[in-house]
Amino acid sequence: MAALFGVDPLQAAEGLPLAHYVRNVVAEDRATLYDKLNSVREVGGLFVIEYRTRPSPNNVRWVLARGRYERTEGGEAMTGRGIVIDITESKLDGQMEDRALFFAPNENVPSLDQVAVLALRARQEIDELGEQEGSPLRKAVDAFLMAVGRAIAQGQTAMRKVSRKVN
């Protein structure tokens, strides 16, 4: 993920504020990204956002971010967790469909999205149990999240192929 945003991988592993990542979001996409994230952070729920990053001067990458914001137990704060997927290659295949920009506050979502939400919740629970970075449990859920992200990305590619055949 650090490479997608042009941030130091060691600092990213320690945890960086969102602002460190957003610095390298393409300027034309930054306002929309903040608008959508702020909307879902107010009420909680699922978000899906596509945008471009510029990790280095001559490198533009397309990112698909999916996640969920929820209130903490006391209800005072909102916390978020999600995954990012590099979808640059699928964007460059000539099929530039509309960007995914939505949030779904606590409503029914498609099954693969629901799997992603549940996996994100599992990762959050594991973190709260105090599992150390690199523990077998954290590695397993992280691998599962990666597999879900790939399945989501492959589903998008499959939909574009079907769309091209129909057109």
Side-chain angles (χ1 to χ4, degrees):
M1 187 176 118
L4 281 172
F5 292 88
V7 299
D8 179 81
L10 296 176
Q11 289 180 333
E14 292 293 319
L16 289 171
L18 180 62
H20 279 77
Y21 295 95
V22 176
R23 285 183 198 150
N24 290 328
V25 170
V26 171
E28 296 86 7
D29 295 352
R30 201 172 297 138
T32 301
L33 173 65
Y34 272 127
D35 180 50
K36 297 300 175 182
L37 284 180
N38 287 335
S39 294
V40 74
R41 282 167 54 176
E42 287 179 20
V43 296
L46 176 69
F47 67 86
V48 177
I49 307 170
E50 281 185 29
Y51 53 92
R52 296 165 292 168
T53 65
R54 191 178 307 277
S56 61
N58 295 319
N59 185 11
V60 174
R61 308 301 299 175
W62 279 91
V63 174
L64 174 67
R66 292 176 182 249
R68 174 174 289 282
Y69 276 94
E70 295 178 326
R71 291 233 174 259
T72 58
E73 271 189 44
E76 292 92 32
M78 188 70 73
T79 61
R81 187 168 299 276
I83 58 175
V84 295
I85 305 167
D86 184 346
I87 59 169
T88 305
E89 297 306 315
S90 65
K91 284 296 202 176
L92 298 177
D93 71 0
Q95 299 296 315
M96 298 294 284
E97 71 283 340
D98 290 337
R99 294 184 189 178
L101 295 169
F102 72 86
F103 72 98
N106 304 317
E107 60 185 51
N108 293 329
V109 293
S111 60
L112 196 52
D113 286 335
Q114 188 63 32
V115 170
V117 167
L118 293 173
L120 291 168
R121 283 186 184 165
R123 177 61 153 86
Q124 185 174 12
E125 293 296 323
I126 289 167
D127 288 348
E128 289 176 11
L129 287 173
E131 286 291 319
Q132 297 297 314
E133 193 68 39
S135 73
L137 194 54
R138 281 184 79 169
K139 284 182 179 179
V141 77
D142 288 346
F144 182 67
L145 280 165
M146 288 293 292
V148 170
R150 285 187 194 107
I152 290 168
Q154 288 172 350
Q156 290 180 343
T157 301
M159 290 303 293
R160 275 192 284 289
K161 288 178 184 176
V162 168
S163 173
R164 277 185 260 170
K165 288 180 183 177
V166 170
N167 295 332

